[in-house]
Amino acid sequence: MFTTAYDLFWQYRDVYLRGLANALTAAAFGLVLSLFVGVLAGVVRFSSRGIAGRIVGIYVSIVRNTPMLVQVYFIYFGLPAIGITMSAFATGVVALTFNSGAYIAEIARGGLAAIPQGQTEAAMALGLNQRVLLARVLVPQAAPTVLPAITGQFVQLIKDTSLLYTIAVLEITKAADDVGNETYQFLEAYLASCVIYVVICAVLNLLVDQYERRAGFSRHRRV
């Protein structure tokens, strides 16, 4: 079975490699954009008790209480109803950003909330405004706690790209399905995709672990 799967992968390697490239590209764009969205949303939710904080809270609640597949379908099929049309790949990136941004927001908020209150009180006693307090005192202290969890999101994003198969984005799962439909060897086709996921995620986890050790974050466990 494994030999057949390897032969199938080699025969259709162009399809699998295109799927892998699309998955990595979508995950990379999703990570960069969700970092911006998530960190900003996390800071707002931590520091604001007004309408901005409530809006972020609603956003996080929606993402955490709905399946990502529903979010993908809503963006792909729902937004055109109000005049917003995107390609399938762009829809995938937006869906990954929307979903991952909420989780990064909670990671960032939790890291900021974990800092002892005395740090904030001391900074306020020195006359620092909230912007300087966040930029110079809280965020630098929260970074070692939240960075391992945030870097781990990239691995999760790689796996989440499999849902983009439902909107016909050629990623790893869609590549396996296309190969299976052409050869009728679905078990071997999906086994090849499974091996690709395992290898890519294992390599990324190894790189993240190496980075954390060199950066001095090894004492913090990634979720």
Side-chain angles (χ1 to χ4, degrees), residues 24 154-155 158 199-209 222:
L24 290 175
F154 186 57
V155 178
I158 294 291
V199 171
I200 294 301
C201 292
V203 169
L204 288 173
N205 273 313
L206 180 62
L207 292 175
V208 168
D209 289 340
R222 192 166 64 255

Side-chain angles (χ1 to χ4, degrees), residues 202-222:
V203 169
L204 288 173
N205 273 313
L206 180 62
L207 292 175
V208 168
D209 289 340
Q210 289 290 336
Y211 169 73
E212 290 173 11
R213 280 196 290 271
R214 292 186 179 184
F217 300 147
S218 58
R219 65 185 183 278
H220 299 290
R221 296 190 62 184
R222 192 166 64 255

